């Protein structure tokens, strides 16, 4: 089955200069786990995910220890979020975009998502413009039918 | 690709009832009206046009503003129908428009329309950047429906200007002042919404003669074509080349739901233009789509076979000058 047959044609995205605060608002409103970041021509230049934002506010050693259990509270993270809130998303996005094409098959996309541990990947056309997204749940839903 | 803009989307809710109380004024008790059938779908003129086009195999992207839980439902409905959506999220809650249809009197539904959430300057700024980007992929843009609270009265005029700079043809499928302000920009086609007010600026549009004069006036002001409906069974197309009257000999009793008919008209016309039809023939196909839509309970008729069957009921007459 081709990606175009089961992708979500949701072009919700942000621009390189969109603030981190707005990205958090948009992730919350849209229910998406990540958002493509596009340039003025609509080409996808990066992806910003919940994980990227969490990584941006946590001290570096937390990522190494894989736990926040030893932090006294989340106040420090809240302060850090307020600090980076007005900054552009381009500073925090992943530039190495893992993406699918509309004519890729489902097995290829499933393999990509599992290997890279991604909840969602953008689908791009030949000019790197966003044409949809595939979420893990879209694949599961399709396989269940 | 056809871009549609719906600045004030809605969740359309339809209820069918056997009867309504004779009067809803000052009832002595609460009025309970039971409905044995209901339908819910994403709506707003631009969204309806996108729904029609997408189901007829025409590439389309729907743009506008979404808010709150209702916005989530609208988006889910669009995505489940395979429509490409590119909306700006904002605080608040999208509106819900209720239509109560009494069986046997389908021609006169009871409509309750909410106002919709206000659009902030920030949200409009984000929208304009999206709009400009999407215009680069578009062949036509449809500006559909009422302006959301907070939008400048010149909003559609600005959007027409942006589209023209990008070399994209515009159809303004709206009413009132928002539409009138676009006329000087020379959009490709205007489809005025005269449901609430049988008036276009200072011009009345109650009779076929008045509609012809209003259409000719808009063409003289710069629009390439004007398409104005009187009821569902008559349309007047005015262009620089002349005026055509389209008429359908269909009894009003066959109509089941008129809410999406105007949007099917625009969707049908566009899908025919994309196929390479001339404007007059495209308007004929649009009218057939409107008729087929009015004859089903669902908001839009998405059955191309039913639309083709209606083509035989639509006659076109070129109006002689004078």
């Amino acid at each position: 089955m081709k990606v175009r047959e089961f992708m979500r044609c949701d072009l919700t995205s942000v621009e390189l200069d969109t603030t981190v605060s707005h990205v958090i608002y948009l992730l919350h409103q849209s229910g998406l786990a990540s958002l493509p970041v596009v340039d003025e021509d609509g080409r996808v230049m990066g992806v910003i995910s919940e994980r990227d934002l969490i990584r941006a506010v946590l001290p570096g050693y937390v990522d190494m220890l894989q736990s926040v259990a030893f932090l006294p509270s989340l106040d420090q993270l809240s302060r850090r979020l307020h600090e980076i809130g007005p900054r552009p998303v381009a500073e925090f996005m992943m530039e190495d975009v893992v993406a699918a094409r509309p004519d890729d098959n489902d097995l290829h996309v499933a393999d990509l998502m599992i290997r890279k541990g991604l909840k969602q990947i953008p689908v791009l056309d030949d000019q790197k413009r966003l044409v949809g997204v595939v979420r893990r749940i879209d694949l599961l839903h399709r396989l269940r039918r | 690709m056809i871009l549609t803009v719906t600045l004030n989307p809605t969740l359309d809710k339809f209820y069918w009832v056997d009867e309504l109380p004779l009067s809803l004024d000052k009832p002595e008790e609460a009025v309970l009206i039971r409905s044995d059938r209901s339908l819910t779908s994403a709506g707003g003129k631009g969204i309806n046009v996108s729904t029609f086009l997408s189901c007829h195999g025409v590439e389309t992207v729907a743009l506008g503003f979404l808010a709150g839980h209702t916005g989530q439902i609208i988006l889910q409905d669009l995505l489940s129908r395979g429509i490409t959506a590119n909306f700006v999220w904002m605080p608040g809650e999208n509106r819900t428009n209720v239509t109560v249809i009494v069986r046997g009197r389908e021609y006169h539904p009871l409509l309750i329309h909410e106002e919709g959430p206000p659009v902030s300057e920030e949200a409009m700024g984000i929208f304009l950047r999206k709009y400009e980007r999407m215009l680069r992929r578009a062949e036509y843009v449809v500006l559909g429906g009422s302006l959301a609270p907070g939008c400048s009265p010149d909003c559609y005029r600005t959007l027409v200007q942006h589209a023209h700079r990008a070399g994209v043809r515009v159809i303004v499928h709206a009413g009132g002042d928002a539409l009138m302000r676009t006329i000087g920009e020379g959009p490709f086609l205007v489809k005025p919404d005269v449901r609430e007010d049988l008036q276009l600026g200072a011009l009345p549009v109650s009779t076929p003669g008045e509609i012809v004069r209003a259409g000719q006036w808009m063409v003289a002001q710069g629009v390439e074509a004007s398409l104005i409906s009187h009821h569902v069974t008559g349309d007047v197309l005015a262009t620089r080349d002349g005026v055509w009257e389209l008429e359908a000999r269909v009894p009003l009793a066959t109509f089941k739901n008129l809410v999406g008919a105007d949007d099917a008209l625009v969707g049908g016309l566009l899908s025919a233009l994309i196929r390479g039809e001339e404007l007059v023939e495209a308007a004929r196909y649009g009218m057939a789509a409107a008729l087929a839509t009015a004859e089903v309970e669902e908001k839009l008729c998405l059955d191309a076979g039913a639309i083709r069957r209606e083509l035989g009921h639509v006659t076109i007459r070129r109006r002689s000058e004078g």
Side-chain angles (χ1 to χ4, degrees):
Chain A
M1 189 192 309
K2 302 282 188 196
V3 164
R4 66 169 75 251
E5 294 171 53
F6 62 92
M7 69 182 185
R8 272 164 71 89
C9 300
D10 184 354
L11 306 189
T12 303
S13 57
V14 291
E15 295 176 343
L16 292 159
D17 60 356
T18 302
T19 63
V20 167
S21 285
H22 189 73
V23 168
I24 294 171
Y25 167 75
L26 203 51
L27 285 169
H28 184 249
Q29 285 283 304
S30 65
L32 296 168
S34 63
L35 289 167
V37 184
V38 299
D39 69 5
E40 285 298 316
D41 294 319
R43 287 189 303 256
V44 175
M45 307 305 286
V47 170
I48 185 81
S49 67
E50 296 160 345
R51 193 163 61 176
D52 301 325
L53 293 170
I54 292 166
R55 197 175 286 140
V57 296
L58 283 174
Y61 55 83
V62 173
D63 207 24
M64 193 173 67
L65 296 173
Q66 296 277 303
S67 170
V68 291
F70 53 85
L71 290 176
S73 74
L74 293 180
D75 291 352
Q76 187 188 344
L77 307 189
S78 175
R79 270 199 307 279
R80 178 78 181 126
L81 265 179
H82 279 95
E83 280 168 23
I84 68 168
R87 286 165 61 182
V89 68
E91 292 180 20
F92 305 97
M93 69 184 189
M94 296 293 286
E95 290 180 25
D96 184 15
V97 179
V98 178
R101 288 178 181 277
D103 287 326
D104 286 344
N105 66 41
D106 50 1
L107 185 61
H108 171 71
V109 174
D111 179 53
L112 264 182
M113 294 178 99
I114 291 166
R115 275 195 296 118
K116 305 279 184 182
L118 298 169
K119 285 185 182 173
Q120 177 183 305
I121 59 173
V123 183
L124 312 183
D125 67 9
D126 292 340
Q127 295 167 61
K128 284 185 66 182
R129 295 181 309 194
L130 182 68
V131 294
V133 291
V134 174
R135 305 171 307 172
R136 282 197 298 215
I137 193 65
D138 298 322
L139 266 172
L140 290 170
H141 180 69
R142 198 74 195 186
L143 291 170
R144 189 184 61 97
R145 288 169 136 188
Chain B
M1 182 271 280
I2 294 173
L3 197 60
T4 67
V5 172
T6 312
L7 298 176
N8 201 3
T10 165
L11 189 67
D12 282 329
K13 188 93 197 172
F14 296 90
Y15 295 102
W16 280 265
V17 299
D18 287 332
E19 59 179 3
L20 280 178
L22 287 177
S23 171
L24 293 173
D25 288 338
K26 297 177 188 166
E28 290 172 7
E29 295 175 8
V31 178
L32 171 65
I33 302 166
R34 291 199 187 276
S35 169
D36 58 15
R37 177 165 161 73
S38 66
L39 285 174
T40 305
S41 64
K45 289 188 176 299
I47 283 177
N48 290 344
V49 172
S50 267
T51 305
F52 182 94
L53 291 171
S54 176
C55 293
H56 288 84
V58 180
E59 190 187 355
T60 177
V61 177
L63 253 71
F65 296 96
L66 292 179
H69 181 58
T70 315
Q72 296 277 7
I73 302 171
I74 290 170
L75 181 64
Q76 283 308 319
D77 188 57
L78 291 176
L79 296 177
S80 69
R81 292 168 190 264
I83 296 159
T84 303
N86 194 352
F87 284 81
V88 175
W89 284 95
M90 61 179 196
E93 191 73 36
N94 282 119
R95 60 191 178 140
T96 300
N97 286 350
V98 174
T99 303
V100 181
I101 300 170
V102 184
R103 289 204 172 81
R105 286 175 45 210
E106 286 87 350
Y107 200 68
H108 297 290
L110 173 67
L111 308 170
I112 303 171
H113 285 193
E114 290 181 5
E115 195 176 26
V119 174
S120 67
E121 256 181 59
E122 186 194 4
M124 184 52 83
I126 295 169
F127 170 82
L128 283 174
R129 289 174 76 172
K130 261 185 203 294
Y131 178 70
E132 290 231 16
R133 233 176 18 240
M134 295 309 297
L135 280 173
R136 293 176 203 172
R137 305 190 204 177
E139 209 172 330
Y140 288 90
V141 57
V142 178
L143 307 176
S146 58
L147 299 182
C151 290
S152 151
D154 264 331
C155 186
Y156 277 161
R157 183 164 163 255
T158 305
L159 298 184
V160 174
Q161 289 170 340
H162 281 281
H164 284 174
R165 275 200 292 274
V168 178
R169 284 175 152 183
V170 184
I171 293 180
V172 186
H173 178 30
D177 189 37
L179 171 125
M180 295 305 288
R181 287 174 185 242
T182 67
I183 287 173
E185 299 299 325
F188 168 67
L189 187 139
V190 290
K191 170 70 188 76
D193 178 2
V194 290
R195 283 174 304 175
E196 282 185 62
D197 194 6
L198 293 172
Q199 196 83 18
L200 261 177
L203 299 171
V205 285
S206 302
T207 66
E210 289 171 352
I211 288 173
V212 169
R213 278 191 291 281
Q216 286 173 321
W217 177 81
M218 286 193 287
V219 170
Q221 298 303 305
V223 309
E224 288 187 46
S226 147
L227 184 61
I228 307 177
S229 304
H230 49 101
H231 309 296
V232 181
T233 56
D235 285 305
V236 173
L237 174 71
T239 75
R240 286 176 206 137
D241 299 328
V243 175
W244 288 263
E245 290 179 289
L246 295 91
E247 201 180 334
R249 297 192 188 285
V250 178
L252 298 184
T254 60
F255 295 154
K256 293 191 171 72
N257 184 351
L258 298 177
V259 170
D262 254 10
D263 308 326
L265 171 62
V266 173
L269 180 144
L270 264 171
S271 64
L273 285 176
I274 292 288
R275 280 200 305 270
E277 303 269 10
E278 294 295 328
L279 182 59
V280 177
E281 263 314 300
R284 183 163 171 253
Y285 187 79
M287 190 165 185
L291 287 171
T293 286
E295 290 173 2
V296 296
E297 288 197 335
E298 289 74 19
K299 188 171 57 183
L300 294 165
C301 174
L302 305 175
D303 175 2
I307 296 171
R308 278 195 298 274
R309 286 193 292 279
E310 291 297 340
L311 272 174
H313 294 129
V314 182
T315 59
I316 304 180
R317 186 172 64 90
R318 185 168 185 156
R319 196 176 167 103
S320 53
E321 297 301 318

